[in-house]
Amino acid sequence: RDPIDQVDRRFHPIPALAVASPLDGIHRIASETHDLRRDADIGHAPDDPNQVDRQPGFIVALTVESKLMNLRILGQVMLVSLCSSLIFSTSASSSSSKCLYVSSYHQGYAWSDGVEQGLRKVLTGHCEIRQIDMDTKRNKSAEFKQSAALAVKQQIESWQPDVVIVSDDNAAKFVVKQFYKDAPIPFVFSGVNWTVKEYGFPYSNVTGIIEVAPLEAMLGHAIKYSGGGRKAIYLGADTLTEKKNLDRVASASKKLGIELQGMLVADAAQWKQAYLEAQKADFVVMGSYSGIKNWNKDELAGFAVQQARKLTVTNHDWMMPFSSIGFTKIPQEHGEWAAQTAIEILNGKSPSDIPIVANRDWDLWLNPAHLQSTQVKLPRKFLRKAKKIN
C-alpha cells in the first residue's frame, strides 16, 4: 500500500537470500503488539552526540592500534599511522543472562543512536548488557575494520555472552560472517542494508532484520508531485554506503522510467555546486551527507532552502532540513525487534526458527520552508499526515 495510507507497518518475513518487497503482506514476530513509530529528532546531525539520552553505566576505552607507515621507499607509498578506540559500556541487570550489543558505528551517529535506544528500551532488565561501538563510520580503512572485529571477537570469547546483537553491515561482515558462521553462540543482526546475500545469511545461529526503504513509492510520489517529470538527480556523499544506496535508487528508477543521474561529492563546496546543478532536473533525490567534509548543517540547510527550485525527496530523516518531503525508516524499530528476538532466544528459541524480516514502519516528513521555495503544491492528505520540521 501507499506509505501515505499506512505509515505504521509491522514485520514482514523475507526469503533468506533476497529482499522481498516490504509492501507484500505482514508478519509480526514480537508477541506483544506495540506502536513502533517514533518522533524522530531530525534536528540533530548524524554526528551529534546529544541525539539520545544514554542509559547509566561505565565506559571504558579499549584502544585498538594499527600502526602503518606513510613513507616513500623505492617509489612505494605506505599508509599513514592509524590509532582509534572502541567504546565499551555496561548496563547491570538482576538477570544472570548476558547480552552483547555490537554497533558498527559510534555514539552520536543518528541511526546507531536510534537502534540503541529501541534495543535498550526492550532489553533492559532481561540481561546484563555490554556494548561495543566499532567506530567504522569515521574509520573506513580495511585495517581498522579488521582490528575492530578482532577486538569484538576477543570480548566475545572472554565474556561468553548468551546472545550477541549486531547492528549494520560492518559488524555483520567483519564479525559474524568472518568468525561465527554456524557457531554455538546465537546472533541477531539489525540494520543490514537491503539484502543478506553477500553474507550468506541465515546461518543456523543467525537471524535478524534487514533495512529497506520504500523507494518506488517515494519516487512515484516525486513524479506525481513534480508534474509528471522523470528526470532526477541523486545527490549524496562519495562513500561506499552512498554508492550502494544510489544503485538501489537507480534500480527503482529504471522500473518507473526515471532518467536518474548520480552526483556523489567529497566536500561541502562540491555539494553546493551539485545542489545548484540539480535544480535543472524535474526533482532531486537527497542521499546522506555522512562522509562529506566541512559539513555545516545550519549553513547548508539555509542554502538549500534559499536555492530550492525543484521538489527534493529523501528516505533519511536527518536529511529533512535539506529536502521537501521524506519517506524515512525508523531506527528504533530495528533495535526493538532485535531486543525482542534476543529475549526469545534467551527463553530457549533457536535463531533458525525465527525468520529474517524486513522493517515495516515508515515516517512521512514535510519541510514547509523548503517546499515553499519550490512552489510545489502537495495534496491535503500528505500535508495532514506528514510530520513537520521547523
Side-chain angles (χ1 to χ4, degrees), residues 183-220:
I185 187 168
F187 280 79
V188 180
F189 68 81
S190 69
V192 169
N193 289 305
W194 299 107
T195 177
V196 294
K197 184 176 181 179
E198 63 186 289
Y199 309 130
F201 298 161
Y203 306 152
S204 62
N205 63 322
V206 174
T207 189
I209 179 170
I210 293 174
E211 177 188 343
V212 299
L215 295 182
E216 290 187 35
M218 179 183 74
L219 294 171

Side-chain angles (χ1 to χ4, degrees), residues 281-324:
D282 294 315
F283 62 90
V284 182
V285 181
M286 186 63 69
S288 177
Y289 68 69
S290 182
I292 296 179
K293 296 178 181 178
N294 304 319
W295 189 266
N296 183 307
K297 186 194 75 172
D298 292 336
E299 175 193 345
L300 294 172
F303 175 86
V305 169
Q306 183 180 18
Q307 300 297 330
R309 297 296 179 270
K310 299 296 175 66
L311 181 77
T312 300
V313 298
T314 187
N315 66 304
H316 304 300
D317 56 9
W318 60 86
M319 297 308 296
M320 277 309 303
F322 320 93
S323 306
S324 311

Side-chain angles (χ1 to χ4, degrees), residues 72-90:
R72 183 176 297 273
I73 302 175
L74 299 178
Q76 295 182 344
V77 179
M78 301 182 72
L79 295 173
V80 107
S81 284
L82 170 65
C83 176
S84 72
S85 62
L86 300 182
I87 301 301
F88 285 70
S89 64
T90 300

Side-chain angles (χ1 to χ4, degrees), residues 10-13 21-27 360:
R10 301 299 172 191
F11 306 121
H12 172 235
S21 168
L23 305 180
D24 298 333
I26 295 174
H27 179 78
R360 296 290 299 173

Side-chain angles (χ1 to χ4, degrees), residues 157-198:
E157 292 176 353
S158 63
W159 194 47
Q160 291 292 304
D162 296 291
V163 62
V164 180
I165 303 167
V166 301
S167 68
D168 294 286
D169 284 75
N170 284 333
K173 178 179 180 179
F174 288 94
V175 177
V176 185
K177 179 183 178 181
Q178 183 171 206
F179 300 123
Y180 293 103
K181 181 177 180 178
D182 297 323
I185 187 168
F187 280 79
V188 180
F189 68 81
S190 69
V192 169
N193 289 305
W194 299 107
T195 177
V196 294
K197 184 176 181 179
E198 63 186 289

Side-chain angles (χ1 to χ4, degrees), residues 16-166:
L17 300 182
V19 176
S21 168
L23 305 180
D24 298 333
I26 295 174
H27 179 78
R28 189 176 69 248
I29 297 299
S31 59
E32 297 180 2
T33 301
H34 53 279
D35 186 358
L36 293 176
R37 294 181 62 192
R38 293 293 177 268
D39 293 328
D41 184 0
I42 55 86
H44 290 95
D47 290 315
D48 189 336
N50 300 314
Q51 177 79 9
V52 297
D53 294 329
R54 303 198 167 273
Q55 298 292 330
F58 65 88
I59 296 180
V60 181
L62 172 66
T63 301
V64 178
E65 296 187 354
S66 178
K67 295 183 177 178
L68 304 170
M69 300 181 66
N70 186 21
L71 300 173
R72 183 176 297 273
I73 302 175
L74 299 178
Q76 295 182 344
V77 179
M78 301 182 72
L79 295 173
V80 107
S81 284
L82 170 65
C83 176
S84 72
S85 62
L86 300 182
I87 301 301
F88 285 70
S89 64
T90 300
S91 294
S93 170
S94 58
S95 172
S96 60
S97 299
K98 297 185 291 186
C99 301
L100 180 64
Y101 172 52
V102 182
S103 169
S104 291
Y105 305 136
H106 58 279
Q107 295 181 358
Y109 183 62
W111 173 266
S112 298
D113 286 347
V115 174
E116 181 192 344
Q117 188 181 58
L119 182 142
R120 289 186 179 275
K121 176 184 176 182
V122 175
L123 196 58
T124 297
H126 291 274
C127 59
E128 178 185 354
I129 305 171
R130 286 190 183 181
Q131 177 172 340
I132 305 176
D133 297 322
M134 293 178 67
D135 201 14
T136 59
K137 178 66 73 172
R138 296 182 296 193
N139 299 279
K140 302 178 185 296
S141 72
E143 292 87 356
F144 183 92
K145 292 173 183 177
Q146 185 63 29
S147 296
L150 288 171
V152 172
K153 182 175 183 287
Q154 182 180 22
Q155 176 70 1
I156 291 173
E157 292 176 353
S158 63
W159 194 47
Q160 291 292 304
D162 296 291
V163 62
V164 180
I165 303 167
V166 301

